[in-house]
Amino acid sequence: MTFIEPGLRVRDGFAEGPLANAALSRAARAGQLLDELQEQAPTMTDGQLRDGVYRALRRFTREQPPTCQVDSITALIRRGVRIDWPVCDRLPIGCRPSL
């Protein structure tokens, strides 16, 4: 086991500890928000949908998501393309979900 910093350690290629748990929790919540948006999309304006996508991505990254990414995901949802946001039980090191 390798300790990276307080609250984060690596074992068998996966991050563990409170910081890893927080990252997994953020990813899961972002996925829930995107699922909710996809269900509500037909009743939302384009601005509301875009704002919702922005907020979901912001929750995951904790940074401002790229405008092109927000616009792309918004357009896909508007066209009815299902956005899957899988979240596993453990956080692999060196691997980040692609959007």
Side-chain angles (χ1 to χ4, degrees):
M1 184 178 313
T2 303
F3 288 92
I4 297 174
E5 63 181 78
L8 186 62
R9 58 190 173 275
V10 176
R11 184 171 56 181
D12 298 326
F14 292 92
E16 295 180 343
L19 295 177
N21 294 341
L24 286 172
S25 178
R26 284 193 316 273
R29 181 64 182 136
Q32 289 173 342
L33 291 172
L34 285 173
D35 283 344
E36 292 169 9
L37 286 172
Q38 292 176 89
E39 296 297 321
Q40 299 170 0
T43 63
M44 300 173 82
T45 66
D46 289 342
Q48 289 171 326
L49 181 57
R50 187 181 186 289
D51 183 60
V53 169
Y54 172 87
R55 289 173 188 268
L57 294 178
R58 174 106 189 205
R59 177 173 295 271
F60 173 63
T61 62
R62 299 179 74 186
E63 297 175 357
Q64 183 171 341
T67 300
C68 60
Q69 187 178 44
V70 174
D71 292 342
S72 176
I73 291 173
T74 301
L76 289 170
I77 292 173
R78 183 58 76 201
R79 288 195 311 244
V81 175
R82 184 79 187 157
I83 305 295
D84 289 324
W85 190 275
V87 178
C88 56
D89 296 345
R90 299 171 69 194
L91 185 65
I93 297 297
C95 184
R96 194 173 155 189
S98 59
L99 303 175

